């Protein structure tokens, strides 16, 4: 552990902009949501009515979890934001830990540090301390923010600790994943896949009311702390034990491998490349094939879940005569609610697909930093063609995974209502209209790669900003001019209205402009490894 404090200061200095941004987003999100809920539902009767609706709609419970106490503003705040805040804290922890452990090892900087009088566990220990400290600060600020609005202090503290505990558990997941593979991208993929599995377990458990499934997920634990609804403090022990166990296991495994390697040995490739790998596009596709397949499978699973749950939204009309009467006045019915739900979920898939677009585009930076770009560019392959090939993979891949999600949702929903072919076509179209907005994020990523490769993290910041504007802009009553900054605000909804091709065309034009500018800038600058 020698040198841990010095490395901790170094990590905090490197993350002096990134960590405050994560912390501010998560804490402001919770505080603003609580204020908005108090304003939207000032009367207890209104909150109780909303709770009844949530309790009778498995689709809502799958997305945000069950509501344990709808009589209070705190209870509704916990229902609406616990899962979202816990997921954000988990993502922050995963990215921070991998950045300071496996990424440093892959880049060779850990070896340089190891040549100094630094203990073997100092690097992972400093990364764990950074993530743990950030999560503890998030929990503290959430507690202060909610209690400062007059909500019960015990509930605010339980809420903050639930979010911080989820981040701590996934700190352990990230440091453990870093021992399994030699590449930071793969370590992040393993940890994020674990987070995705945790979300699915919680969603299935809550929607089907199968409690054991929800208890298998740290996200389910965060809900079952029951902030503002008779707090269960003992659930917090599960977070502490899980994080400590994974961190301890990672420390043991790190002593069983060589520096720069993982416990899972990479598979040796063929001695000679296939003829299909003769061009840069084929090489880019081969490099990202595994990631694309993984994303496609995940989208198909999530899309199927949305399709299965969609019918329960329409059942609200049957159980709510007043809602049925309102819909009949405007010419709608159960199908209107179902289509609105499915359109919203296709929008959510579009936002997540933006994460793939950014990740796939920034593979360019990974290849450049690892000095694998130089041998390729030393041949007859021009820079613009190499960069364009990876961008093309990102664009085609984002369309592919959205198609997988839309088709799966359409088939699942169609099989439940006896219209599989019709619904598959409708939901496929609803998913594909998200593609131009998703491509905009790829354009932002390649623009930053060409102009300012040190600032490519801003592409992820743009994705997070767009996601918050899309998911919480209406709840927070943001001005339309602010909400329209997100490209996803301009995507038409073919399930609920006519499709205007104009916004889709100008989003494609914006992507082309960003991409051409980024590629042109890349042609003029030096390689990082040169």
């Amino acid at each position: 552990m020698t040198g841990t404090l010095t490395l901790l200061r170094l990590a905090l200095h490197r993350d002096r902009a990134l960590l405050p941004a994560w912390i501010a987003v998560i804490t402001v999100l919770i505080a603003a949501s609580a204020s908005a809920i108090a304003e939207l539902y000032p009367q207890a009767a209104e909150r109780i009515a909303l709770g009844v609706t949530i309790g009778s709609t498995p689709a809502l419970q799958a997305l945000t979890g069950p509501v344990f106490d709808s009589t209070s503003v705190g209870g509704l705040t916990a229902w609406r934001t616990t899962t979202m805040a816990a997921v954000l804290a988990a993502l922050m922890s995963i990215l921070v830990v991998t950045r300071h452990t496996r990424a440093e090892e892959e880049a060779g900087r850990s070896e340089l540090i190891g040549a100094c009088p630094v203990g073997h566990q100092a690097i992972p220990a400093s990364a764990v301390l950074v993530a743990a400290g950030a999560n503890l600060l998030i929990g503290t600020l959430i507690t202060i923010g909610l209690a400062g609005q007059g909500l019960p202090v015990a509930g605010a503290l339980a809420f903050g600790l639930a979010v911080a505990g989820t981040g701590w558990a996934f700190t352990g997941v990230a440091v453990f994943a870093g021992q399994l593979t030699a590449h930071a991208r793969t370590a992040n993929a393993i940890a994020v896949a674990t987070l995705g599995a945790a979300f699915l377990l919680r969603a299935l458990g809550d929607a089907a009311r199968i409690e054991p499934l929800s208890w298998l997920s740290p996200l389910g634990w965060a809900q079952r702390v029951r902030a503002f609804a008779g707090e269960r403090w003992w659930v917090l022990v599960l977070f502490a034990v899980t994080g400590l166990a994974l961190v301890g296991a990672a420390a043991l495994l790190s002593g069983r491998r060589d520096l720069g390697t993982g416990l899972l040995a990479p598979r040796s490739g063929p001695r000679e490349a296939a003829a299909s790998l003769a061009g840069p596009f084929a090489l880019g596709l081969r490099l990202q094939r595994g990631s694309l397949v993984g994303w496609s499978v995940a989208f198909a699973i999530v899309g199927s879940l949305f399709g299965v749950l969609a019918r329960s939204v329409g059942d609200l009309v049957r159980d709510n005569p007043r809602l049925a009467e309102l819909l009949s006045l405007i010419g709608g019915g159960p199908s209107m609610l179902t289509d609105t739900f499915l359109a919203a979920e296709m929008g959510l898939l579009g936002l997540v697909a933006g994460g793939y677009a950014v990740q796939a585009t920034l593979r360019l930076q990974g290849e450049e930093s690892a000095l694998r770009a130089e041998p390729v560019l030393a041949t007859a392959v021009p820079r613009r063609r190499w960069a364009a090939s990876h961008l093309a993979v990102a664009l085609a891949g984002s369309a592919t995974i959205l198609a997988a999600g839309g088709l799966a949702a359409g088939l699942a929903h169609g099989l439940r209502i006896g219209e599989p072919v019709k619904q598959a076509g409708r939901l496929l179209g609803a998913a594909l209209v998200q593609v131009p907005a998703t491509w905009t994020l790829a354009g932002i990523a390649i623009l930053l790669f060409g102009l300012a490769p040190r600032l490519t993290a801003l592409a992820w910041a743009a994705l997070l900003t767009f996601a918050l504007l899309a998911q919480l802009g209406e709840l927070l009553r943001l001005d339309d001019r602010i909400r329209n900054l997100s490209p996803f605000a301009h995507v038409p909804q073919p399930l609920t209205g006519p499709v205007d091709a104009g916004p889709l065309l100008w989003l494609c034009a914006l992507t082309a402009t960003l991409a051409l500018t980024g590629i042109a800038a890349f042609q003029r600058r030096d390689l990082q490894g040169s």
Side-chain angles (χ1 to χ4, degrees):
M1 302 294 288
T2 302
T4 299
L5 293 180
T6 301
L7 293 175
L8 174 62
R9 290 195 295 271
L10 174 62
L12 291 173
H13 176 74
R14 293 181 60 197
D15 288 345
R16 62 190 181 279
L18 185 64
L19 275 181
W22 274 105
I23 294 168
V25 166
I26 296 173
T27 54
V28 171
L29 166 68
I30 303 300
S33 297
S35 177
I37 288 173
E39 184 178 351
L40 289 172
Y41 303 99
Q43 302 298 323
E46 296 174 329
R47 296 193 290 268
I48 292 172
L50 177 61
V52 171
T53 301
I54 297 166
S56 61
T57 312
L60 293 178
Q61 295 187 52
L63 293 176
T64 54
V67 56
F68 293 107
D69 181 10
S70 61
T71 63
S72 66
V73 171
L76 285 183
T77 302
W79 162 74
R80 184 65 181 84
T81 58
T82 295
T83 297
M84 184 182 298
V87 168
L88 289 175
L91 282 174
M92 179 200 70
S93 301
I94 290 169
L95 296 176
V96 166
V97 170
T98 305
R99 167 180 165 84
H100 292 296
T101 55
R102 175 49 64 182
E104 293 294 283
E105 204 168 325
E106 185 178 2
R109 288 187 289 268
S110 292
E111 188 172 4
L112 294 175
I113 293 174
C116 302
V118 173
H120 180 66
Q121 300 292 345
I123 293 178
S126 63
V128 168
L129 288 174
V130 169
N135 281 297
L136 185 60
L137 182 57
I138 287 171
T140 302
L141 293 177
I142 288 175
T143 302
I144 295 173
L146 294 179
Q149 296 186 47
L151 298 181
V153 175
L157 179 60
F159 194 122
L161 290 177
V163 174
T166 306
W168 167 246
F170 280 94
T171 295
V173 170
V175 74
F176 184 84
Q179 308 306 314
L180 302 179
T181 175
H183 303 289
R185 284 173 53 86
T186 309
N188 271 331
I190 292 172
V192 172
T194 304
L195 176 59
F199 182 87
L200 284 177
L201 285 172
R202 185 211 57 77
L204 288 171
D206 290 343
R209 291 182 170 84
I210 304 175
E211 279 289 305
L213 275 182
S214 299
W215 279 104
L216 292 175
S217 166
L219 299 178
W221 303 344
Q223 290 281 357
R224 280 150 185 80
V225 171
R226 295 177 63 114
F228 304 104
E231 293 76 16
R232 292 175 174 171
W233 301 104
W234 62 266
V235 178
L236 298 172
V237 176
L238 297 176
F239 295 116
V241 171
T242 300
L244 287 173
L246 289 171
V247 170
L252 291 175
L253 293 177
S254 66
R256 298 176 178 270
R257 63 176 181 85
D258 293 331
L259 188 67
T261 66
L263 294 175
L264 302 177
R267 185 179 61 181
S268 299
R271 294 177 61 86
E272 297 183 359
S276 60
L277 292 177
F281 176 79
L283 176 60
L285 183 60
R286 175 64 182 84
L287 290 173
Q288 305 207 45
R289 181 179 63 184
S291 175
L292 178 58
V293 170
W295 278 86
S296 299
V297 171
F299 265 57
I301 293 173
V302 174
S304 299
L305 176 63
F306 289 154
V308 168
L309 294 172
R311 187 175 178 180
S312 68
V313 178
D315 292 341
L316 280 175
V317 178
R318 181 192 63 197
D319 301 327
N320 193 330
R322 184 178 178 185
L323 179 59
E325 181 181 357
L326 176 63
L327 288 174
S328 67
L329 292 175
I330 60 176
S335 62
M336 176 179 288
L337 281 181
T338 301
D339 287 346
T340 301
F341 168 77
L342 288 170
E345 301 322 308
M346 292 304 103
L348 181 60
L349 288 183
L351 285 167
V352 179
Y356 169 82
V358 172
Q359 180 194 59
T361 304
L362 294 184
R363 182 63 186 260
L364 287 164
Q365 187 181 36
E367 294 295 296
E368 182 183 359
S369 299
L371 306 183
R372 291 189 291 267
E374 290 185 339
V376 176
L377 296 176
T379 65
V381 177
R383 283 192 177 197
R384 63 180 181 278
R385 188 180 173 196
W386 177 72
S389 66
H390 279 273
L391 177 62
V393 171
L395 299 181
S398 56
T400 299
I401 64 176
L402 279 170
L407 276 174
L411 287 173
H413 178 52
L415 288 172
R416 292 203 70 187
I417 65 173
E419 300 176 346
V421 177
K422 177 182 177 180
Q423 296 301 324
R426 294 180 75 235
L427 269 297
L428 175 61
L432 290 181
V433 295
Q434 305 291 331
V435 168
T438 300
W439 284 355
T440 305
L441 283 159
I444 293 173
I446 198 166
L447 176 69
L448 291 168
F449 169 73
L451 289 175
R454 292 181 179 272
L455 301 178
T456 51
L458 292 178
W460 293 106
L463 172 60
L464 180 60
T465 301
F466 296 158
L468 292 175
L469 289 175
Q471 296 300 306
L472 295 172
E474 185 174 356
L475 175 65
L476 301 179
R477 298 185 177 183
L478 297 178
D479 189 273
D480 286 345
R481 290 172 295 182
I482 297 177
R483 294 168 60 185
N484 287 336
L485 293 174
S486 168
F488 294 93
H490 304 279
V491 174
Q493 301 295 342
L495 296 180
T496 57
V499 176
D500 182 4
L504 300 180
L505 292 176
W506 74 255
L507 284 175
C508 289
L510 176 61
T511 300
T513 302
L514 294 171
L516 291 174
T517 304
I519 292 174
F522 173 62
Q523 287 184 279
R524 292 192 297 269
R525 70 171 175 83
D526 294 333
L527 291 177
Q528 290 183 6
S530 298

